[in-house]
């Protein structure tokens, strides 16, 4: 894992935007995996700023989001579809036909999951997958103890995740109990994963992901088995890491071509 630690959430969002913009510029027909939630918002703002300054175009990108709530149609303001349109898609030059989210409102959810996997395959697989991490170590909405070999599927949210996500709803009762999420295997097939975490609330999950045993109890720990992961943290999210200074040493001593 490449672990990059910055003093503030703003500085880590800047690094994350640099990783994403670099690959967009380098690769034609890029397939980008995207995340929602609070964490990537600053990075999206920075990418929009680069686009508005004429320094970044998404014209040749195809996107696949990690997850969507079951039962919320795309026009519902609390859906991830709506989130993506208002926080990125409608503000850059992405072709709407090239943006994809799991269909949480499909009449046959299992069919929708298979269809999503097929679309990712048809697009040639994901080049760069952006990830956040839950306080309980989930990635996508693959909650602790779920299969580490899963593909896009319907998951039941844990009570902790429902509580954490209730800030986006009028009350916790309104948070859907079910989601459609890329599975762990789907995520692991991305050629490069970029995981972002900020704030002390994530510090324990971050420690378990990077320095703990690989275990379904902390699904993000499976990323230790991935050949190419960049983790971007702020100091608060990194504060429980046992060998934080070692990660900083490694970063300082990288050769130019070894940097994301
Ligand atoms: C979102 C997703 C989730 C979030 C995680 C952290 O698409 O897949 O894994 O990344 O729940 O959420 P925030 O960033 O709101 O703390």
């Amino acid at each position: 894992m490449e672990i990059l630690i910055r003093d503030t959430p703003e500085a880590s969002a800047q690094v994350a935007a640099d990783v994403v913009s670099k690959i967009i510029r380098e690769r034609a027909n890029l397939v980008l995996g995207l995340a929602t939630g609070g964490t990537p918002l600053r990075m999206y703002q920075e990418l929009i700023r680069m686009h508005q300054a004429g320094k970044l175009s998404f014209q040749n990108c195809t996107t696949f989001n990690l997850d969507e709530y079951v039962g919320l149609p795309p026009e519902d303001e609390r859906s991830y579809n709506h989130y993506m349109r208002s926080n990125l898609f409608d503000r850059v030059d992405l072709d709407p036909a090239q943006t994809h989210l799991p269909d949480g409102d499909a009449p046959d959810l299992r069919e929708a999951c298979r269809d999503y996997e097929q679309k990712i395959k048809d697009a040639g697989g994901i080049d760069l997958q952006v990830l956040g991490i839950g306080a309980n170590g989930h990635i996508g909405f693959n909650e602790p103890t779920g299969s580490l070999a899963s593909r896009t599927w319907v998951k039941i949210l844990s009570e902790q995740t429902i509580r954490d996500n209730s800030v986006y709803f009028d009350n916790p009762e309104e948070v859907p109990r079910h989601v459609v999420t890329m599975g762990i295997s789907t995520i692991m097939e991305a050629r490069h994963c970029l995981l972002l975490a900020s704030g002390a609330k994530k510090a324990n999950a971050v420690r378990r992901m990077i320095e703990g045993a690989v275990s379904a109890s902390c699904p993000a720990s499976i990323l230790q088995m991935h050949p190419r992961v960049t983790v971007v943290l702020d100091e608060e999210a990194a504060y429980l890491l046992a060998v934080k200074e070692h990660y900083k040493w490694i970063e300082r001593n990288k050769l130019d071509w070894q940097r994301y």
Side-chain angles (χ1 to χ4, degrees):
M1 282 184 181
E2 173 180 43
I3 296 156
L4 309 174
I5 302 168
R6 295 296 179 270
D7 290 344
T8 61
E10 290 75 16
S12 52
Q14 180 65 54
V15 173
D18 289 346
V19 174
V20 174
S21 58
K22 182 169 182 268
I23 193 170
I24 291 178
R25 290 190 190 106
E26 278 174 2
R27 200 161 312 173
N29 305 321
L30 181 79
V31 181
L32 202 51
L34 296 173
T36 54
T39 311
L41 282 175
R42 281 196 184 88
M43 179 190 79
Y44 290 145
Q45 281 157 13
E46 181 54 24
L47 291 172
I48 292 165
R49 199 193 58 72
M50 290 176 182
H51 170 69
Q52 286 171 346
K55 293 182 180 153
L56 189 65
S57 169
F58 292 78
Q59 259 172 358
N60 295 321
C61 293
T62 299
T63 68
F64 288 91
N65 262 79
L66 282 166
D67 34 38
E68 179 58 284
Y69 288 113
V70 167
L72 295 189
E75 55 282 4
D76 190 306
E77 285 184 5
R78 299 158 308 174
S79 71
Y80 286 148
N81 200 306
H82 187 275
Y83 168 109
M84 286 311 301
R85 279 181 283 124
S86 49
N87 290 303
L88 185 69
F89 297 164
D90 292 352
R91 302 166 69 186
V92 295
D93 57 348
L94 256 169
D95 175 357
Q98 298 300 330
T99 64
H100 306 86
L101 282 96
D103 184 357
D105 206 30
D108 183 341
L109 289 172
R110 280 178 297 186
E111 178 65 31
C113 292
R114 283 192 291 271
D115 183 53
Y116 202 61
E117 285 281 329
Q118 191 60 46
K119 282 197 177 118
I120 294 173
K121 209 169 158 196
D122 292 346
I126 292 170
D127 292 303
L128 178 70
Q129 176 65 57
V130 176
L131 298 165
I133 182 169
N136 62 5
H138 69 227
I139 47 174
F141 277 124
N142 294 282
E143 298 281 37
T145 75
S147 165
L148 293 179
S150 55
R151 309 210 67 93
T152 301
W153 58 340
V154 176
K155 284 295 287 178
I156 304 166
L157 291 179
S158 68
E159 290 180 275
Q160 178 177 355
T161 303
I162 289 173
R163 269 195 306 278
D164 290 345
N165 288 7
S166 64
V167 291
Y168 303 107
F169 292 77
D170 288 339
N171 72 66
E173 286 308 306
E174 287 178 19
V175 183
R177 301 285 182 266
H178 301 93
V179 286
V180 178
T181 178
M182 279 187 203
I184 295 285
S185 287
T186 323
I187 294 169
M188 289 292 281
E189 279 171 13
R191 289 180 265 279
H192 183 178
C193 290
L194 170 66
L195 186 140
L196 321 176
S198 70
K201 208 177 147 199
K202 301 294 173 69
N204 191 39
V206 164
R207 181 186 60 76
R208 294 179 71 203
M209 165 178 72
I210 298 173
E211 295 176 344
V214 173
S215 161
S217 303
C218 177
S221 64
I222 192 72
L223 294 171
Q224 293 175 34
M225 308 288 288
H226 191 287
R228 188 154 185 223
V229 179
T230 302
V231 178
V232 186
L233 306 171
D234 63 11
E235 282 286 352
E236 286 193 1
Y239 94 96
L240 289 176
L241 291 173
V243 291
K244 196 169 75 172
E245 292 312 314
H246 168 69
Y247 306 131
K248 293 186 178 180
W249 160 259
I250 296 284
E251 190 186 353
R252 281 199 302 277
N253 286 286
K254 281 197 166 163
L255 301 170
D256 276 348
W257 58 265
Q258 289 178 313
R259 291 173 202 282
Y260 49 81

